[in-house]
Amino acid sequence: SQTIHQWPATLVQPVGSPLSLECTVEGTSNPNLYWYRQAAGRGLQLLFYSVGIGQISSEVPQNLSASRPQDRQFILSSKKLLLSDSGFYLCAWTGGYGYTFGSGTRLTVV
Amino acid sequence: QQPVQSPQAVILREGEDAVINCSSSKALYSVHWYRQKHGEAPVFLMILLKGGEQKGHEKISASFNEKKQQSSLYLTASQLSYSGTYFCGTWAGATNKLIFGTGTLLAVQP
C-alpha cells in the first residue's frame, strides 16, 4: 500500500533562517506531488506541484521554492523565512484519484 | 478562482441533516470532498466525475451538477465523528492541480 511521510511535525524557526521540509511517498511510482499551506483557521493554498522529476510548477510567487530530486521525493525550501511563512504545510500525492496528505508540518516563524 | 462554499459554518445536533454547497466560476471535470479534523491533515471522502453523479460514503453522499458548476455534500443523521471542516476541491481539466474551496466548519453536538 502507498504511504506518504512528511517531517518534521513541528518547527519553530527565527525570521531570516532557512527552511527545508521533506516529503516522500512509498508504494507508488511517478505520483503527482503537491505542497499546500494552511494559515491558522483558513483554507488550503496550493504552493507548488510536480508531475515528474525536476518538473515544478509554482502557484504563488513568494520566497519559497520546491524541488523534486527523485521520483518520490518532494522538498520545500526557503533561503530566508518571513513571519508570514508561518502555517501548516501539507504535502500530498495522487495517482489519479483522491489526494492523500501527509501528516503536515506546523511551522512557526518567530 | 477559488470555489466558494456555503454555509461557512453550521452547528447540528446528533441525528440532524446538513447540506454543504460548493460553487465554481470555472468549468469542472471533477469535484473532490475532504474532511479535516482540527490539527490534522484533510482526509479524502469522495470524488465525483460525471455531471449529476451521486456517490456515497457511509451516510455522506454528494452530487455534482456539471452544467451549473456546483456540487453539494449531504450529511444525514449526523454523528459526533462528522465534526470538522469540509472542503470541496475542484479539478478544472488538464491542469494537474486541485483547488480547494473556502471550507465549511461543521460542529455536531450531543
Side-chain angles (χ1 to χ4, degrees):
Chain A
S1 62
Q2 302 90 357
T3 56
I4 180 168
H5 302 279
Q6 190 180 340
W7 66 92
T10 306
L11 197 56
V12 179
Q13 292 284 100
V15 170
S17 64
L19 173 73
S20 181
L21 301 180
E22 188 165 342
C23 171
T24 59
V25 180
E26 295 179 357
T28 186
S29 59
N30 198 31
N32 285 357
L33 296 172
Y34 304 83
W35 280 111
Y36 284 88
R37 179 172 64 194
Q38 188 174 36
R42 305 295 294 274
L44 296 149
Q45 179 188 32
L46 179 62
L47 301 177
F48 302 94
Y49 66 96
S50 171
V51 299
I53 297 174
Q55 300 180 58
I56 307 295
S57 295
S58 175
E59 288 296 298
V60 183
Q62 54 201 338
N63 66 320
L64 299 173
S65 62
S67 62
R68 186 169 176 173
Q70 300 180 41
D71 181 45
R72 288 168 288 179
Q73 184 184 30
F74 204 22
I75 298 172
L76 181 70
S77 303
S78 174
K79 292 182 179 179
K80 289 185 178 181
L81 284 169
L82 307 172
L83 286 174
S84 58
D85 291 324
S86 293
F88 191 37
Y89 287 80
L90 291 154
C91 179
W93 81 275
T94 183
Y97 200 62
Y99 279 36
T100 300
F101 286 86
S103 53
T105 295
R106 197 163 302 280
L107 172 67
T108 303
V109 183
V110 296
Chain B
Q1 183 173 348
Q2 180 182 28
V4 177
Q5 291 181 230
S6 62
Q8 287 185 312
V10 57
I11 300 174
L12 300 174
R13 295 285 184 187
E14 268 187 297
E16 292 182 339
D17 302 339
V19 180
I20 299 172
N21 300 301
C22 173
S23 181
S24 173
S25 59
K26 290 191 170 185
L28 303 175
Y29 286 81
S30 67
V31 177
H32 296 214
W33 284 97
Y34 294 78
R35 176 170 61 210
Q36 184 179 28
K37 300 279 188 179
H38 182 67
E40 299 179 5
V43 173
F44 173 69
L45 293 176
M46 66 187 76
I47 182 173
L48 299 105
L49 299 172
K50 298 179 181 178
E53 182 182 10
Q54 277 194 297
K55 300 198 84 174
H57 175 81
E58 298 175 347
K59 291 183 181 179
I60 302 173
S61 61
S63 63
F64 175 28
N65 189 318
E66 189 178 340
K67 289 184 178 179
K68 291 185 177 180
Q69 296 167 189
Q70 294 175 345
S71 178
S72 295
L73 186 71
Y74 308 94
L75 301 101
T76 58
S78 58
Q79 306 167 16
L80 293 175
S81 61
Y82 286 3
S83 293
T85 301
Y86 289 79
F87 291 99
C88 65
T90 57
W91 185 277
T95 58
N96 291 305
K97 60 186 181 183
L98 193 65
I99 304 300
F100 284 91
T102 49
T104 296
L105 177 63
L106 179 74
V108 180
Q109 297 178 342

